[in-house]
mmCIF file of all heavy atoms in Angstrom:
data_model
loop_
_atom_site.group_PDB
_atom_site.id
_atom_site.type_symbol
_atom_site.label_atom_id
_atom_site.label_comp_id
_atom_site.label_asym_id
_atom_site.label_seq_id
_atom_site.Cartn_x
_atom_site.Cartn_y
_atom_site.Cartn_z
ATOM 1 N N VAL A 1 129.912 80.163 155.856
ATOM 2 C CA VAL A 1 129.826 79.564 154.514
ATOM 3 C C VAL A 1 129.132 78.209 154.609
ATOM 4 O O VAL A 1 128.240 77.905 153.807
ATOM 5 C CB VAL A 1 131.227 79.447 153.860
ATOM 6 C CG1 VAL A 1 131.157 78.617 152.580
ATOM 7 C CG2 VAL A 1 131.802 80.836 153.561
ATOM 8 N N ALA A 2 129.505 77.410 155.602
ATOM 9 C CA ALA A 2 128.851 76.111 155.796
ATOM 10 C C ALA A 2 127.351 76.301 156.032
ATOM 11 O O ALA A 2 126.529 75.548 155.492
ATOM 12 C CB ALA A 2 129.492 75.368 156.973
ATOM 13 N N ARG A 3 126.996 77.310 156.807
ATOM 14 C CA ARG A 3 125.577 77.594 157.089
ATOM 15 C C ARG A 3 124.809 77.873 155.804
ATOM 16 O O ARG A 3 123.723 77.326 155.587
ATOM 17 C CB ARG A 3 125.470 78.792 158.038
ATOM 18 C CG ARG A 3 124.053 79.275 158.305
ATOM 19 C CD ARG A 3 124.035 80.513 159.193
ATOM 20 N NE ARG A 3 124.763 81.645 158.659
ATOM 21 C CZ ARG A 3 124.295 82.471 157.718
ATOM 22 N NH1 ARG A 3 123.098 82.272 157.193
ATOM 23 N NH2 ARG A 3 125.023 83.490 157.288
ATOM 24 N N THR A 4 125.377 78.693 154.929
ATOM 25 C CA THR A 4 124.645 79.063 153.714
ATOM 26 C C THR A 4 124.563 77.906 152.722
ATOM 27 O O THR A 4 123.546 77.740 152.047
ATOM 28 C CB THR A 4 125.255 80.310 153.053
ATOM 29 O OG1 THR A 4 126.618 80.067 152.712
ATOM 30 C CG2 THR A 4 125.157 81.522 153.978
ATOM 31 N N VAL A 5 125.601 77.097 152.647
ATOM 32 C CA VAL A 5 125.547 75.914 151.772
ATOM 33 C C VAL A 5 124.523 74.924 152.333
ATOM 34 O O VAL A 5 123.761 74.309 151.580
ATOM 35 C CB VAL A 5 126.944 75.274 151.621
ATOM 36 C CG1 VAL A 5 126.862 73.951 150.870
ATOM 37 C CG2 VAL A 5 127.890 76.238 150.908
ATOM 38 N N CYS A 6 124.474 74.796 153.647
ATOM 39 C CA CYS A 6 123.490 73.922 154.284
ATOM 40 C C CYS A 6 122.067 74.407 153.994
ATOM 41 O O CYS A 6 121.173 73.606 153.715
ATOM 42 C CB CYS A 6 123.754 73.863 155.786
ATOM 43 S SG CYS A 6 122.767 72.629 156.655
ATOM 44 N N ARG A 7 121.855 75.713 154.039
ATOM 45 C CA ARG A 7 120.526 76.270 153.724
ATOM 46 C C ARG A 7 120.129 75.939 152.286
ATOM 47 O O ARG A 7 118.973 75.613 152.015
ATOM 48 C CB ARG A 7 120.515 77.787 153.928
ATOM 49 C CG ARG A 7 120.479 78.187 155.373
ATOM 50 C CD ARG A 7 119.242 79.038 155.639
ATOM 51 N NE ARG A 7 119.257 79.542 156.991
ATOM 52 C CZ ARG A 7 118.522 79.034 157.976
ATOM 53 N NH1 ARG A 7 117.735 78.017 157.749
ATOM 54 N NH2 ARG A 7 118.573 79.547 159.172
ATOM 55 N N ARG A 8 121.088 76.023 151.360
ATOM 56 C CA ARG A 8 120.794 75.679 149.963
ATOM 57 C C ARG A 8 120.421 74.207 149.859
ATOM 58 O O ARG A 8 119.439 73.851 149.184
ATOM 59 C CB ARG A 8 121.977 75.979 149.051
ATOM 60 C CG ARG A 8 121.678 75.538 147.618
ATOM 61 C CD ARG A 8 122.742 75.786 146.571
ATOM 62 N NE ARG A 8 123.979 76.329 146.997
ATOM 63 C CZ ARG A 8 125.142 75.642 147.001
ATOM 64 N NH1 ARG A 8 125.168 74.378 146.640
ATOM 65 N NH2 ARG A 8 126.253 76.241 147.358
ATOM 66 N N ALA A 9 121.191 73.342 150.525
ATOM 67 C CA ALA A 9 120.879 71.911 150.490
ATOM 68 C C ALA A 9 119.471 71.663 151.033
ATOM 69 O O ALA A 9 118.713 70.869 150.470
ATOM 70 C CB ALA A 9 121.919 71.129 151.300
ATOM 71 N N GLU A 10 119.125 72.361 152.104
ATOM 72 C CA GLU A 10 117.789 72.219 152.682
ATOM 73 C C GLU A 10 116.709 72.651 151.682
ATOM 74 O O GLU A 10 115.704 71.955 151.505
ATOM 75 C CB GLU A 10 117.684 73.042 153.964
ATOM 76 C CG GLU A 10 116.332 72.963 154.629
ATOM 77 C CD GLU A 10 116.191 73.912 155.807
ATOM 78 O OE1 GLU A 10 117.089 74.757 156.048
ATOM 79 O OE2 GLU A 10 115.149 73.828 156.482
ATOM 80 N N ARG A 11 116.910 73.794 151.035
ATOM 81 C CA ARG A 11 115.923 74.272 150.050
ATOM 82 C C ARG A 11 115.762 73.272 148.904
ATOM 83 O O ARG A 11 114.645 72.981 148.459
ATOM 84 C CB ARG A 11 116.327 75.641 149.493
ATOM 85 C CG ARG A 11 116.203 76.783 150.463
ATOM 86 C CD ARG A 11 116.389 78.139 149.795
ATOM 87 N NE ARG A 11 117.603 78.267 149.009
ATOM 88 C CZ ARG A 11 118.785 78.677 149.485
ATOM 89 N NH1 ARG A 11 118.919 78.972 150.775
ATOM 90 N NH2 ARG A 11 119.832 78.788 148.684
ATOM 91 N N LEU A 12 116.877 72.754 148.418
ATOM 92 C CA LEU A 12 116.816 71.787 147.320
ATOM 93 C C LEU A 12 116.093 70.507 147.759
ATOM 94 O O LEU A 12 115.310 69.946 146.994
ATOM 95 C CB LEU A 12 118.224 71.463 146.820
ATOM 96 C CG LEU A 12 118.908 72.592 146.046
ATOM 97 C CD1 LEU A 12 120.398 72.313 145.895
ATOM 98 C CD2 LEU A 12 118.245 72.782 144.686
ATOM 99 N N CYS A 13 116.355 70.067 148.980
ATOM 100 C CA CYS A 13 115.668 68.874 149.481
ATOM 101 C C CYS A 13 114.171 69.124 149.630
ATOM 102 O O CYS A 13 113.360 68.230 149.377
ATOM 103 C CB CYS A 13 116.281 68.424 150.803
ATOM 104 S SG CYS A 13 117.916 67.678 150.600
ATOM 105 N N CYS A 14 113.802 70.337 150.006
ATOM 106 C CA CYS A 14 112.377 70.684 150.066
ATOM 107 C C CYS A 14 111.753 70.595 148.679
ATOM 108 O O CYS A 14 110.622 70.115 148.523
ATOM 109 C CB CYS A 14 112.184 72.081 150.657
ATOM 110 S SG CYS A 14 112.484 72.167 152.434
ATOM 111 N N SER A 15 112.483 71.034 147.659
ATOM 112 C CA SER A 15 111.994 70.913 146.277
ATOM 113 C C SER A 15 111.832 69.451 145.885
ATOM 114 O O SER A 15 110.820 69.067 145.297
ATOM 115 C CB SER A 15 112.946 71.598 145.298
ATOM 116 O OG SER A 15 112.926 72.977 145.473
ATOM 117 N N LEU A 16 112.818 68.640 146.206
ATOM 118 C CA LEU A 16 112.740 67.218 145.877
ATOM 119 C C LEU A 16 111.574 66.557 146.612
ATOM 120 O O LEU A 16 110.875 65.713 146.050
ATOM 121 C CB LEU A 16 114.065 66.525 146.231
ATOM 122 C CG LEU A 16 114.163 65.036 145.916
ATOM 123 C CD1 LEU A 16 114.007 64.783 144.412
ATOM 124 C CD2 LEU A 16 115.492 64.478 146.414
ATOM 125 N N ALA A 17 111.341 66.962 147.858
ATOM 126 C CA ALA A 17 110.264 66.379 148.663
ATOM 127 C C ALA A 17 108.880 66.710 148.114
ATOM 128 O O ALA A 17 107.895 66.065 148.488
ATOM 129 C CB ALA A 17 110.379 66.842 150.118
ATOM 130 N N GLU A 18 108.786 67.692 147.230
ATOM 131 C CA GLU A 18 107.493 68.007 146.611
ATOM 132 C C GLU A 18 107.048 66.913 145.646
ATOM 133 O O GLU A 18 105.861 66.770 145.365
ATOM 134 C CB GLU A 18 107.566 69.346 145.878
ATOM 135 C CG GLU A 18 107.690 70.528 146.817
ATOM 136 C CD GLU A 18 107.898 71.849 146.074
ATOM 137 O OE1 GLU A 18 107.851 71.879 144.824
ATOM 138 O OE2 GLU A 18 108.123 72.860 146.764
ATOM 139 N N THR A 19 108.024 66.143 145.116
ATOM 140 C CA THR A 19 107.680 65.122 144.128
ATOM 141 C C THR A 19 108.086 63.709 144.537
ATOM 142 O O THR A 19 107.645 62.749 143.933
ATOM 143 C CB THR A 19 108.336 65.435 142.767
ATOM 144 O OG1 THR A 19 109.752 65.510 142.951
ATOM 145 C CG2 THR A 19 107.803 66.741 142.193
ATOM 146 N N GLU A 20 108.955 63.595 145.544
ATOM 147 C CA GLU A 20 109.441 62.282 145.958
ATOM 148 C C GLU A 20 109.443 62.193 147.479
ATOM 149 O O GLU A 20 109.549 63.198 148.170
ATOM 150 C CB GLU A 20 110.850 62.041 145.411
ATOM 151 C CG GLU A 20 110.889 62.108 143.877
ATOM 152 C CD GLU A 20 112.217 61.668 143.311
ATOM 153 O OE1 GLU A 20 112.814 60.728 143.865
ATOM 154 O OE2 GLU A 20 112.634 62.253 142.304
ATOM 155 N N VAL A 21 109.346 60.983 147.974
ATOM 156 C CA VAL A 21 109.333 60.759 149.422
ATOM 157 C C VAL A 21 110.772 60.718 149.923
ATOM 158 O O VAL A 21 111.606 59.984 149.397
ATOM 159 C CB VAL A 21 108.604 59.444 149.777
ATOM 160 C CG1 VAL A 21 108.676 59.175 151.265
ATOM 161 C CG2 VAL A 21 107.164 59.496 149.299
ATOM 162 N N LEU A 22 111.045 61.542 150.941
ATOM 163 C CA LEU A 22 112.355 61.562 151.581
ATOM 164 C C LEU A 22 112.199 61.078 153.017
ATOM 165 O O LEU A 22 111.118 61.182 153.600
ATOM 166 C CB LEU A 22 112.929 62.983 151.586
ATOM 167 C CG LEU A 22 113.237 63.614 150.235
ATOM 168 C CD1 LEU A 22 113.794 65.021 150.431
ATOM 169 C CD2 LEU A 22 114.222 62.763 149.446
ATOM 170 N N PRO A 23 113.267 60.557 153.607
ATOM 171 C CA PRO A 23 113.185 60.188 155.026
ATOM 172 C C PRO A 23 112.721 61.384 155.860
ATOM 173 O O PRO A 23 113.151 62.522 155.627
ATOM 174 C CB PRO A 23 114.623 59.805 155.375
ATOM 175 C CG PRO A 23 115.241 59.415 154.071
ATOM 176 C CD PRO A 23 114.593 60.296 153.041
ATOM 177 N N GLU A 24 111.854 61.140 156.822
ATOM 178 C CA GLU A 24 111.218 62.235 157.566
ATOM 179 C C GLU A 24 112.196 63.070 158.387
ATOM 180 O O GLU A 24 111.906 64.215 158.707
ATOM 181 C CB GLU A 24 110.088 61.708 158.448
ATOM 182 C CG GLU A 24 110.539 60.790 159.546
ATOM 183 C CD GLU A 24 109.376 60.253 160.380
ATOM 184 O OE1 GLU A 24 108.244 60.190 159.871
ATOM 185 O OE2 GLU A 24 109.621 59.919 161.549
ATOM 186 N N THR A 25 113.348 62.536 158.713
ATOM 187 C CA THR A 25 114.314 63.291 159.526
ATOM 188 C C THR A 25 115.277 64.126 158.685
ATOM 189 O O THR A 25 115.997 64.958 159.229
ATOM 190 C CB THR A 25 115.138 62.329 160.400
ATOM 191 O OG1 THR A 25 115.756 61.360 159.544
ATOM 192 C CG2 THR A 25 114.281 61.657 161.454
ATOM 193 N N LEU A 26 115.287 63.928 157.385
ATOM 194 C CA LEU A 26 116.289 64.555 156.533
ATOM 195 C C LEU A 26 116.206 66.086 156.535
ATOM 196 O O LEU A 26 117.203 66.770 156.799
ATOM 197 C CB LEU A 26 116.147 64.000 155.111
ATOM 198 C CG LEU A 26 117.307 64.219 154.171
ATOM 199 C CD1 LEU A 26 117.458 63.021 153.250
ATOM 200 C CD2 LEU A 26 117.097 65.460 153.347
ATOM 201 N N ILE A 27 115.061 66.645 156.257
ATOM 202 C CA ILE A 27 114.926 68.110 156.211
ATOM 203 C C ILE A 27 115.060 68.722 157.606
ATOM 204 O O ILE A 27 115.778 69.721 157.761
ATOM 205 C CB ILE A 27 113.631 68.515 155.482
ATOM 206 C CG1 ILE A 27 113.766 68.150 153.993
ATOM 207 C CG2 ILE A 27 113.352 70.017 155.648
ATOM 208 C CD1 ILE A 27 112.506 68.313 153.166
ATOM 209 N N PRO A 28 114.443 68.151 158.650
ATOM 210 C CA PRO A 28 114.678 68.711 159.987
ATOM 211 C C PRO A 28 116.156 68.687 160.390
ATOM 212 O O PRO A 28 116.646 69.608 161.040
ATOM 213 C CB PRO A 28 113.833 67.832 160.913
ATOM 214 C CG PRO A 28 112.742 67.311 160.033
ATOM 215 C CD PRO A 28 113.381 67.128 158.684
ATOM 216 N N TYR A 29 116.872 67.635 159.993
ATOM 217 C CA TYR A 29 118.305 67.569 160.308
ATOM 218 C C TYR A 29 119.048 68.732 159.646
ATOM 219 O O TYR A 29 119.840 69.422 160.295
ATOM 220 C CB TYR A 29 118.889 66.226 159.854
ATOM 221 C CG TYR A 29 120.383 66.126 160.078
ATOM 222 C CD1 TYR A 29 120.896 65.789 161.327
ATOM 223 C CD2 TYR A 29 121.283 66.378 159.043
ATOM 224 C CE1 TYR A 29 122.258 65.705 161.548
ATOM 225 C CE2 TYR A 29 122.649 66.298 159.254
ATOM 226 C CZ TYR A 29 123.129 65.963 160.503
ATOM 227 O OH TYR A 29 124.491 65.893 160.722
ATOM 228 N N LEU A 30 118.797 68.957 158.368
ATOM 229 C CA LEU A 30 119.469 70.061 157.671
ATOM 230 C C LEU A 30 119.073 71.413 158.261
ATOM 231 O O LEU A 30 119.906 72.315 158.380
ATOM 232 C CB LEU A 30 119.153 70.023 156.169
ATOM 233 C CG LEU A 30 119.819 68.897 155.386
ATOM 234 C CD1 LEU A 30 119.277 68.850 153.963
ATOM 235 C CD2 LEU A 30 121.339 69.034 155.394
ATOM 236 N N ASN A 31 117.821 71.541 158.658
ATOM 237 C CA ASN A 31 117.369 72.793 159.260
ATOM 238 C C ASN A 31 118.106 73.060 160.568
ATOM 239 O O ASN A 31 118.586 74.170 160.817
ATOM 240 C CB ASN A 31 115.859 72.745 159.479
ATOM 241 C CG ASN A 31 115.333 74.043 160.020
ATOM 242 O OD1 ASN A 31 115.287 74.251 161.230
ATOM 243 N ND2 ASN A 31 114.944 74.938 159.130
ATOM 244 N N ARG A 32 118.215 72.051 161.393
ATOM 245 C CA ARG A 32 118.915 72.210 162.661
ATOM 246 C C ARG A 32 120.405 72.411 162.435
ATOM 247 O O ARG A 32 121.059 73.164 163.147
ATOM 248 C CB ARG A 32 118.688 70.967 163.546
ATOM 249 C CG ARG A 32 118.594 71.290 165.012
ATOM 250 C CD ARG A 32 117.343 72.119 165.328
ATOM 251 N NE ARG A 32 116.185 71.260 165.514
ATOM 252 C CZ ARG A 32 115.159 71.167 164.645
ATOM 253 N NH1 ARG A 32 115.099 71.887 163.571
ATOM 254 N NH2 ARG A 32 114.148 70.374 164.876
ATOM 255 N N LEU A 33 120.945 71.748 161.421
ATOM 256 C CA LEU A 33 122.370 71.856 161.139
ATOM 257 C C LEU A 33 122.758 73.275 160.737
ATOM 258 O O LEU A 33 123.780 73.790 161.187
ATOM 259 C CB LEU A 33 122.769 70.855 160.044
ATOM 260 C CG LEU A 33 124.254 70.733 159.737
ATOM 261 C CD1 LEU A 33 125.050 70.335 160.974
ATOM 262 C CD2 LEU A 33 124.458 69.707 158.611
ATOM 263 N N ASN A 34 121.920 73.949 159.940
ATOM 264 C CA ASN A 34 122.302 75.323 159.579
ATOM 265 C C ASN A 34 122.195 76.248 160.786
ATOM 266 O O ASN A 34 122.976 77.186 160.916
ATOM 267 C CB ASN A 34 121.589 75.840 158.318
ATOM 268 C CG ASN A 34 120.111 75.906 158.422
ATOM 269 O OD1 ASN A 34 119.582 76.567 159.300
ATOM 270 N ND2 ASN A 34 119.415 75.236 157.507
ATOM 271 N N ASP A 35 121.276 75.958 161.712
ATOM 272 C CA ASP A 35 121.246 76.715 162.973
ATOM 273 C C ASP A 35 122.534 76.481 163.773
ATOM 274 O O ASP A 35 123.091 77.403 164.359
ATOM 275 C CB ASP A 35 120.046 76.288 163.830
ATOM 276 C CG ASP A 35 118.711 76.700 163.238
ATOM 277 O OD1 ASP A 35 118.674 77.654 162.432
ATOM 278 O OD2 ASP A 35 117.699 76.061 163.588
ATOM 279 N N TYR A 36 122.990 75.227 163.777
ATOM 280 C CA TYR A 36 124.224 74.889 164.486
ATOM 281 C C TYR A 36 125.397 75.708 163.942
ATOM 282 O O TYR A 36 126.207 76.234 164.709
ATOM 283 C CB TYR A 36 124.512 73.383 164.369
ATOM 284 C CG TYR A 36 125.909 73.018 164.796
ATOM 285 C CD1 TYR A 36 126.268 72.958 166.141
ATOM 286 C CD2 TYR A 36 126.892 72.753 163.844
ATOM 287 C CE1 TYR A 36 127.558 72.646 166.533
ATOM 288 C CE2 TYR A 36 128.185 72.434 164.227
ATOM 289 C CZ TYR A 36 128.512 72.390 165.566
ATOM 290 O OH TYR A 36 129.799 72.089 165.946
ATOM 291 N N PHE A 37 125.491 75.830 162.625
ATOM 292 C CA PHE A 37 126.616 76.573 162.043
ATOM 293 C C PHE A 37 126.555 78.057 162.399
ATOM 294 O O PHE A 37 127.597 78.702 162.572
ATOM 295 C CB PHE A 37 126.684 76.384 160.529
ATOM 296 C CG PHE A 37 127.062 74.992 160.126
ATOM 297 C CD1 PHE A 37 126.317 74.300 159.190
ATOM 298 C CD2 PHE A 37 128.159 74.357 160.695
ATOM 299 C CE1 PHE A 37 126.665 73.014 158.827
ATOM 300 C CE2 PHE A 37 128.507 73.059 160.343
ATOM 301 C CZ PHE A 37 127.751 72.387 159.395
ATOM 302 N N PHE A 38 125.361 78.601 162.532
ATOM 303 C CA PHE A 38 125.229 79.994 162.958
ATOM 304 C C PHE A 38 125.764 80.152 164.386
ATOM 305 O O PHE A 38 126.544 81.060 164.671
ATOM 306 C CB PHE A 38 123.767 80.451 162.869
ATOM 307 C CG PHE A 38 123.568 81.871 163.313
ATOM 308 C CD1 PHE A 38 123.914 82.923 162.486
ATOM 309 C CD2 PHE A 38 123.053 82.153 164.570
ATOM 310 C CE1 PHE A 38 123.746 84.241 162.893
ATOM 311 C CE2 PHE A 38 122.876 83.465 164.992
ATOM 312 C CZ PHE A 38 123.222 84.508 164.146
ATOM 313 N N ILE A 39 125.341 79.260 165.271
ATOM 314 C CA ILE A 39 125.810 79.297 166.655
ATOM 315 C C ILE A 39 127.323 79.067 166.704
ATOM 316 O O ILE A 39 128.046 79.733 167.459
ATOM 317 C CB ILE A 39 125.077 78.240 167.518
ATOM 318 C CG1 ILE A 39 123.578 78.535 167.590
ATOM 319 C CG2 ILE A 39 125.696 78.124 168.915
ATOM 320 C CD1 ILE A 39 123.220 79.829 168.277
ATOM 321 N N LEU A 40 127.814 78.141 165.900
ATOM 322 C CA LEU A 40 129.246 77.853 165.875
ATOM 323 C C LEU A 40 130.043 79.088 165.449
ATOM 324 O O LEU A 40 131.087 79.389 166.041
ATOM 325 C CB LEU A 40 129.533 76.675 164.947
ATOM 326 C CG LEU A 40 130.982 76.193 164.895
ATOM 327 C CD1 LEU A 40 131.440 75.684 166.266
ATOM 328 C CD2 LEU A 40 131.132 75.101 163.836
ATOM 329 N N ALA A 41 129.554 79.813 164.460
ATOM 330 C CA ALA A 41 130.237 81.045 164.025
ATOM 331 C C ALA A 41 130.305 82.048 165.167
ATOM 332 O O ALA A 41 131.360 82.653 165.426
ATOM 333 C CB ALA A 41 129.519 81.645 162.820
ATOM 334 N N ARG A 42 129.196 82.226 165.879
ATOM 335 C CA ARG A 42 129.185 83.148 167.016
ATOM 336 C C ARG A 42 130.134 82.662 168.116
ATOM 337 O O ARG A 42 130.840 83.454 168.739
ATOM 338 C CB ARG A 42 127.761 83.291 167.579
ATOM 339 C CG ARG A 42 126.798 83.953 166.596
ATOM 340 C CD ARG A 42 125.553 84.460 167.288
ATOM 341 N NE ARG A 42 125.920 85.587 168.148
ATOM 342 C CZ ARG A 42 125.427 85.784 169.369
ATOM 343 N NH1 ARG A 42 124.549 84.944 169.880
ATOM 344 N NH2 ARG A 42 125.807 86.823 170.087
ATOM 345 N N TYR A 43 130.141 81.368 168.349
ATOM 346 C CA TYR A 43 131.024 80.760 169.354
ATOM 347 C C TYR A 43 132.490 81.044 169.012
ATOM 348 O O TYR A 43 133.274 81.440 169.888
ATOM 349 C CB TYR A 43 130.746 79.256 169.410
ATOM 350 C CG TYR A 43 131.631 78.480 170.345
ATOM 351 C CD1 TYR A 43 131.350 78.408 171.709
ATOM 352 C CD2 TYR A 43 132.742 77.790 169.861
ATOM 353 C CE1 TYR A 43 132.165 77.678 172.573
ATOM 354 C CE2 TYR A 43 133.558 77.060 170.720
ATOM 355 C CZ TYR A 43 133.265 77.009 172.066
ATOM 356 O OH TYR A 43 134.071 76.288 172.913
ATOM 357 N N PHE A 44 132.862 80.825 167.760
ATOM 358 C CA PHE A 44 134.249 81.099 167.353
ATOM 359 C C PHE A 44 134.596 82.567 167.561
ATOM 360 O O PHE A 44 135.649 82.890 168.106
ATOM 361 C CB PHE A 44 134.470 80.710 165.892
ATOM 362 C CG PHE A 44 134.584 79.234 165.643
ATOM 363 C CD1 PHE A 44 134.043 78.676 164.493
ATOM 364 C CD2 PHE A 44 135.242 78.395 166.529
ATOM 365 C CE1 PHE A 44 134.162 77.325 164.227
ATOM 366 C CE2 PHE A 44 135.361 77.028 166.278
ATOM 367 C CZ PHE A 44 134.813 76.491 165.117
ATOM 368 N N ASN A 45 133.735 83.454 167.090
ATOM 369 C CA ASN A 45 134.027 84.886 167.248
ATOM 370 C C ASN A 45 134.176 85.259 168.724
ATOM 371 O O ASN A 45 135.097 85.978 169.100
ATOM 372 C CB ASN A 45 132.945 85.738 166.586
ATOM 373 C CG ASN A 45 133.160 85.880 165.099
ATOM 374 O OD1 ASN A 45 134.276 85.766 164.604
ATOM 375 N ND2 ASN A 45 132.084 86.133 164.373
ATOM 376 N N HIS A 46 133.289 84.749 169.549
ATOM 377 C CA HIS A 46 133.325 85.068 170.977
ATOM 378 C C HIS A 46 134.611 84.558 171.636
ATOM 379 O O HIS A 46 135.288 85.290 172.363
ATOM 380 C CB HIS A 46 132.094 84.483 171.671
ATOM 381 C CG HIS A 46 132.007 84.777 173.128
ATOM 382 N ND1 HIS A 46 131.686 86.028 173.612
ATOM 383 C CD2 HIS A 46 132.213 83.981 174.205
ATOM 384 C CE1 HIS A 46 131.703 85.994 174.938
ATOM 385 N NE2 HIS A 46 132.018 84.760 175.327
ATOM 386 N N HIS A 47 134.947 83.305 171.369
ATOM 387 C CA HIS A 47 136.098 82.690 172.045
ATOM 388 C C HIS A 47 137.438 83.068 171.430
ATOM 389 O O HIS A 47 138.479 82.852 172.065
ATOM 390 C CB HIS A 47 135.932 81.170 172.101
ATOM 391 C CG HIS A 47 134.905 80.768 173.108
ATOM 392 N ND1 HIS A 47 135.178 80.664 174.446
ATOM 393 C CD2 HIS A 47 133.581 80.503 172.971
ATOM 394 C CE1 HIS A 47 134.076 80.324 175.096
ATOM 395 N NE2 HIS A 47 133.094 80.227 174.220
#
């Protein structure tokens, strides 16, 4: 659930970045964060 909400936040920030300047690390951070949640879900299931 965290992964999918993070993906939505990332998409919305991409929309905002089309018209306004955002810090350059913001979208990459959200992109990596949703990857982290995917790995975390697999980690929980495995352990």
Side-chain angles (χ1 to χ4, degrees):
V1 170
R3 174 183 59 79
T4 59
V5 173
C6 189
R7 285 239 186 257
R8 177 179 4 111
E10 180 187 8
R11 289 190 308 271
L12 289 166
C13 288
C14 287
S15 292
L16 181 61
E18 290 174 5
T19 58
E20 301 189 37
V21 176
L22 296 180
E24 65 182 25
T25 56
L26 196 145
I27 292 172
Y29 177 82
L30 288 172
N31 183 271
R32 215 66 84 251
L33 186 58
N34 61 58
D35 292 337
Y36 167 76
F37 292 130
F38 179 77
I39 297 296
L40 184 62
R42 295 197 69 221
Y43 177 83
F44 285 143
N45 278 335
H46 182 73
H47 286 278

